[in-house]
Amino acid sequence: MASACASAARRGCLWLLSPSAFRATPRLLCTAAQQKSSGAGSEEENGAQKPEPSAAEKALTEEKVQLEEQVKELTDKYKRALADTENIRQRSHKMIDEAKLYGIQGFCKDLLEVADILEKATESVPKEEVTSKNPHLKNLYDGLVMTEVQIQKVFSKHGLVKLDPVGQKFDPYEHEALFHAPIEGKEPGTVAVVTKVGYKIHGRTLRPALVGVVKESS
Protein backbone atom coordinates (compact mmCIF):
# COMPACT_ATOMS: atom_id res chain seq x y z
CA MET A 1 0.00 0.00 0.00
CA ALA A 2 2.76 2.36 0.86
CA SER A 3 4.59 1.51 -2.31
CA ALA A 4 1.47 2.38 -4.37
CA CYS A 5 1.16 5.85 -2.73
CA ALA A 6 4.82 6.51 -3.34
CA SER A 7 4.58 5.62 -6.99
CA ALA A 8 1.52 7.95 -7.43
CA ALA A 9 3.38 10.82 -5.82
CA ARG A 10 6.32 10.26 -8.16
CA ARG A 11 4.00 10.35 -11.22
CA GLY A 12 2.44 13.62 -10.04
CA CYS A 13 5.81 15.24 -9.57
CA LEU A 14 6.95 14.03 -12.97
CA TRP A 15 3.81 15.51 -14.60
CA LEU A 16 4.34 18.91 -13.00
CA LEU A 17 7.88 18.91 -14.35
CA SER A 18 6.73 17.87 -17.84
CA PRO A 19 6.20 20.47 -20.74
CA SER A 20 2.48 19.68 -20.99
CA ALA A 21 1.97 20.94 -17.45
CA PHE A 22 3.61 24.22 -18.36
CA ARG A 23 1.35 24.53 -21.45
CA ALA A 24 -1.86 23.98 -19.38
CA THR A 25 -0.95 26.52 -16.69
CA PRO A 26 -1.46 29.65 -18.87
CA ARG A 27 -4.86 28.33 -20.01
CA LEU A 28 -5.92 27.97 -16.37
CA LEU A 29 -4.68 31.48 -15.60
CA CYS A 30 -6.62 32.94 -18.57
CA THR A 31 -9.78 31.15 -17.51
CA ALA A 32 -9.46 32.51 -14.01
CA ALA A 33 -8.83 36.04 -15.34
CA GLN A 34 -11.89 35.85 -17.61
CA GLN A 35 -14.06 34.68 -14.73
CA LYS A 36 -12.74 37.51 -12.58
CA SER A 37 -13.34 40.13 -15.28
CA SER A 38 -16.85 38.85 -15.99
CA GLY A 39 -17.63 39.00 -12.32
CA ALA A 40 -16.35 42.57 -12.13
CA GLY A 41 -18.48 43.54 -15.18
CA SER A 42 -21.58 42.10 -13.59
CA GLU A 43 -20.88 44.12 -10.47
CA GLU A 44 -20.48 47.32 -12.57
CA GLU A 45 -23.75 46.62 -14.42
CA ASN A 46 -25.54 46.05 -11.14
CA GLY A 47 -24.06 49.26 -9.80
CA ALA A 48 -25.07 51.22 -12.96
CA GLN A 49 -28.77 50.33 -12.54
CA LYS A 50 -30.85 53.25 -11.21
CA PRO A 51 -32.29 52.76 -7.79
CA GLU A 52 -36.07 52.63 -7.36
CA PRO A 53 -37.60 56.08 -6.59
CA SER A 54 -38.76 56.58 -3.07
CA ALA A 55 -42.35 57.21 -2.02
CA ALA A 56 -41.60 60.92 -1.49
CA GLU A 57 -40.21 61.27 -5.02
CA LYS A 58 -43.25 59.54 -6.47
CA ALA A 59 -45.54 61.88 -4.54
CA LEU A 60 -43.61 64.95 -5.78
CA THR A 61 -43.81 63.72 -9.38
CA GLU A 62 -47.56 63.20 -9.14
CA GLU A 63 -48.00 66.63 -7.57
CA LYS A 64 -45.94 68.21 -10.39
CA VAL A 65 -48.15 66.59 -13.04
CA GLN A 66 -51.31 67.78 -11.25
CA LEU A 67 -49.97 71.33 -10.96
CA GLU A 68 -49.04 71.41 -14.65
CA GLU A 69 -52.56 70.31 -15.57
CA GLN A 70 -54.04 72.98 -13.28
CA VAL A 71 -51.84 75.67 -14.86
CA LYS A 72 -52.91 74.55 -18.33
CA GLU A 73 -56.59 74.62 -17.33
CA LEU A 74 -56.31 78.05 -15.69
CA THR A 75 -54.48 79.44 -18.74
CA ASP A 76 -57.24 78.19 -21.01
CA LYS A 77 -59.92 79.74 -18.78
CA TYR A 78 -58.00 83.01 -18.68
CA LYS A 79 -57.81 83.17 -22.48
CA ARG A 80 -61.53 82.40 -22.79
CA ALA A 81 -62.35 85.12 -20.25
CA LEU A 82 -60.25 87.62 -22.22
CA ALA A 83 -62.06 86.68 -25.44
CA ASP A 84 -65.49 87.01 -23.78
CA THR A 85 -64.53 90.37 -22.31
CA GLU A 86 -63.40 91.64 -25.71
CA ASN A 87 -66.65 90.47 -27.31
CA ILE A 88 -68.70 92.21 -24.62
CA ARG A 89 -66.65 95.39 -25.07
CA GLN A 90 -67.21 95.36 -28.83
CA ARG A 91 -70.94 94.73 -28.45
CA SER A 92 -71.25 97.48 -25.87
CA HIS A 93 -69.35 99.88 -28.11
CA LYS A 94 -71.63 99.01 -31.03
CA MET A 95 -74.75 99.49 -28.89
CA ILE A 96 -73.50 102.89 -27.73
CA ASP A 97 -72.80 103.95 -31.31
CA GLU A 98 -76.24 102.80 -32.44
CA ALA A 99 -77.85 104.61 -29.51
CA LYS A 100 -76.08 107.80 -30.55
CA LEU A 101 -77.15 107.37 -34.17
CA TYR A 102 -80.69 106.13 -33.71
CA GLY A 103 -81.59 107.50 -30.27
CA ILE A 104 -83.56 110.33 -31.90
CA GLN A 105 -85.30 107.98 -34.30
CA GLY A 106 -88.68 108.22 -32.53
CA PHE A 107 -88.45 112.00 -32.27
CA CYS A 108 -87.55 112.32 -35.96
CA LYS A 109 -90.41 110.05 -36.95
CA ASP A 110 -92.84 112.31 -35.15
CA LEU A 111 -91.41 115.35 -36.94
CA LEU A 112 -91.97 113.71 -40.31
CA GLU A 113 -95.67 114.44 -40.01
CA VAL A 114 -94.86 118.12 -39.50
CA ALA A 115 -92.67 118.09 -42.59
CA ASP A 116 -95.47 116.43 -44.57
CA ILE A 117 -97.95 119.10 -43.52
CA LEU A 118 -95.54 121.89 -44.51
CA GLU A 119 -94.99 120.26 -47.88
CA LYS A 120 -98.72 119.87 -48.52
CA ALA A 121 -99.31 123.46 -47.44
CA THR A 122 -96.78 124.89 -49.90
CA GLU A 123 -98.08 122.66 -52.71
CA SER A 124 -101.68 123.77 -52.10
CA VAL A 125 -100.93 127.46 -52.63
CA PRO A 126 -101.55 128.51 -56.27
CA LYS A 127 -98.24 129.80 -57.62
CA GLU A 128 -99.97 132.42 -59.77
CA GLU A 129 -101.47 133.99 -56.64
CA VAL A 130 -98.10 134.40 -54.97
CA THR A 131 -97.31 137.92 -56.22
CA SER A 132 -96.61 141.31 -54.79
CA LYS A 133 -100.23 142.18 -55.44
CA ASN A 134 -101.17 139.72 -52.69
CA PRO A 135 -98.51 140.49 -50.06
CA HIS A 136 -100.19 138.62 -47.21
CA LEU A 137 -100.36 135.37 -49.16
CA LYS A 138 -96.87 135.90 -50.49
CA ASN A 139 -95.41 136.43 -47.01
CA LEU A 140 -97.27 133.38 -45.70
CA TYR A 141 -96.04 131.25 -48.59
CA ASP A 142 -92.46 132.46 -48.21
CA GLY A 143 -92.61 131.67 -44.49
CA LEU A 144 -93.85 128.14 -45.16
CA VAL A 145 -91.11 127.55 -47.74
CA MET A 146 -88.40 128.85 -45.39
CA THR A 147 -89.72 126.66 -42.58
CA GLU A 148 -89.73 123.61 -44.84
CA VAL A 149 -86.17 124.32 -46.00
CA GLN A 150 -84.98 124.79 -42.44
CA ILE A 151 -86.56 121.58 -41.18
CA GLN A 152 -84.92 119.66 -44.04
CA LYS A 153 -81.56 121.15 -43.01
CA VAL A 154 -82.14 119.97 -39.45
CA PHE A 155 -83.04 116.52 -40.77
CA SER A 156 -79.85 116.37 -42.85
CA LYS A 157 -77.78 117.47 -39.87
CA HIS A 158 -78.99 114.45 -37.91
CA GLY A 159 -78.62 111.98 -40.79
CA LEU A 160 -82.23 112.07 -41.97
CA VAL A 161 -82.57 111.92 -45.78
CA LYS A 162 -85.73 112.27 -47.86
CA LEU A 163 -86.72 109.49 -50.28
CA ASP A 164 -88.50 110.75 -53.40
CA PRO A 165 -87.90 107.86 -55.84
CA VAL A 166 -89.83 108.91 -58.96
CA GLY A 167 -88.34 107.11 -61.97
CA GLN A 168 -86.14 104.87 -59.82
CA LYS A 169 -86.20 101.08 -59.64
CA PHE A 170 -88.62 99.79 -57.05
CA ASP A 171 -86.80 98.79 -53.85
CA PRO A 172 -88.88 96.86 -51.30
CA TYR A 173 -86.51 97.96 -48.52
CA GLU A 174 -87.17 101.65 -49.18
CA HIS A 175 -90.52 101.74 -50.99
CA GLU A 176 -94.02 100.49 -50.28
CA ALA A 177 -96.10 99.79 -53.38
CA LEU A 178 -99.69 100.98 -53.12
CA PHE A 179 -100.66 99.90 -56.63
CA HIS A 180 -99.26 98.57 -59.92
CA ALA A 181 -100.41 99.97 -63.24
CA PRO A 182 -99.22 99.83 -66.86
CA ILE A 183 -98.00 103.24 -67.99
CA GLU A 184 -96.95 103.87 -71.56
CA GLY A 185 -93.40 105.08 -71.94
CA LYS A 186 -92.39 103.92 -68.45
CA GLU A 187 -90.12 100.97 -67.74
CA PRO A 188 -91.86 98.17 -65.83
CA GLY A 189 -90.67 97.84 -62.25
CA THR A 190 -89.94 101.54 -61.83
CA VAL A 191 -91.69 104.04 -59.58
CA ALA A 192 -94.22 106.12 -61.50
CA VAL A 193 -95.94 108.03 -58.68
CA VAL A 194 -94.94 108.99 -55.12
CA THR A 195 -97.95 109.65 -52.94
CA LYS A 196 -95.89 110.13 -49.78
CA VAL A 197 -92.15 110.62 -49.53
CA GLY A 198 -90.07 108.36 -47.34
CA TYR A 199 -87.07 108.97 -45.09
CA LYS A 200 -83.86 107.20 -44.10
CA ILE A 201 -81.76 107.85 -41.01
CA HIS A 202 -78.05 106.95 -41.25
CA GLY A 203 -78.76 104.46 -44.01
CA ARG A 204 -81.67 102.77 -42.20
CA THR A 205 -85.18 103.18 -43.59
CA LEU A 206 -87.21 105.17 -41.10
CA ARG A 207 -90.34 105.41 -43.25
CA PRO A 208 -90.75 103.82 -46.69
CA ALA A 209 -91.99 105.96 -49.53
CA LEU A 210 -95.56 105.18 -50.63
CA VAL A 211 -95.42 104.66 -54.38
CA GLY A 212 -97.18 103.43 -57.50
CA VAL A 213 -95.15 100.98 -59.60
CA VAL A 214 -95.22 100.49 -63.36
CA LYS A 215 -96.15 96.99 -64.50
CA GLU A 216 -96.03 95.37 -67.91
CA SER A 217 -99.11 95.86 -70.07
CA SER A 218 -100.99 92.65 -70.77
Side-chain angles (χ1 to χ4, degrees):
M1 181 71 182
S3 60
C5 290
S7 59
R10 285 197 298 271
R11 285 195 298 272
C13 292
L14 291 174
W15 182 82
L16 289 172
L17 294 174
S18 65
S20 61
F22 286 105
R23 287 194 299 270
T25 302
R27 286 197 297 270
L28 294 173
L29 293 174
C30 291
T31 303
Q34 290 175 357
Q35 291 177 351
K36 183 177 180 181
S37 63
S38 64
S42 299
E43 290 178 357
E44 290 178 357
E45 290 177 358
N46 293 333
Q49 291 179 354
K50 293 182 180 179
E52 289 291 330
S54 63
E57 291 176 344
K58 289 182 179 179
L60 288 174
T61 303
E62 293 177 357
E63 185 177 359
K64 177 186 175 184
V65 172
Q66 292 177 357
L67 290 175
E68 288 176 348
E69 290 179 353
Q70 290 178 3
V71 169
K72 184 178 180 181
E73 183 180 356
L74 290 174
T75 303
D76 184 64
K77 289 182 178 180
Y78 173 71
K79 291 180 179 179
R80 290 177 182 273
L82 282 180
D84 292 340
T85 303
E86 180 63 18
N87 291 335
I88 292 173
R89 188 191 68 79
Q90 292 180 358
R91 285 197 298 268
S92 300
H93 187 69
K94 185 178 179 181
M95 291 173 65
I96 292 171
D97 290 342
E98 288 184 350
K100 290 178 179 179
L101 290 175
Y102 306 113
I104 60 171
Q105 182 172 330
F107 177 69
C108 290
K109 198 168 185 179
D110 292 337
L111 285 180
L112 296 184
E113 299 299 328
V114 178
D116 292 338
I117 293 171
L118 286 172
E119 185 177 5
K120 293 296 182 184
T122 54
E123 290 176 353
S124 64
V125 176
K127 302 300 186 292
E128 63 274 7
E129 297 293 333
V130 183
T131 62
S132 57
K133 295 179 181 180
N134 196 350
H136 297 291
L137 181 60
K138 185 177 185 304
N139 292 335
L140 178 61
Y141 178 79
D142 292 341
L144 290 174
V145 171
M146 290 175 62
T147 304
E148 184 182 4
V149 171
Q150 186 62 33
I151 198 170
Q152 290 298 328
K153 286 182 179 179
V154 173
F155 284 170
S156 298
K157 180 180 178 181
H158 293 283
L160 203 61
V161 181
K162 182 189 287 189
L163 298 175
D164 191 3
V166 176
Q168 297 179 12
K169 199 75 174 177
F170 176 76
D171 185 352
Y173 296 102
E174 297 182 357
H175 314 145
E176 182 179 343
L178 298 179
F179 61 89
H180 293 77
I183 300 176
E184 188 177 353
K186 299 288 185 178
E187 182 183 356
T190 58
V191 176
V193 180
V194 177
T195 60
K196 192 173 186 179
V197 296
Y199 284 89
K200 293 176 69 175
I201 180 169
H202 296 293
R204 179 186 295 180
T205 301
L206 181 62
R207 187 184 75 184
L210 304 181
V211 301
V213 183
V214 180
K215 73 173 183 178
E216 295 182 0
S217 57
S218 56

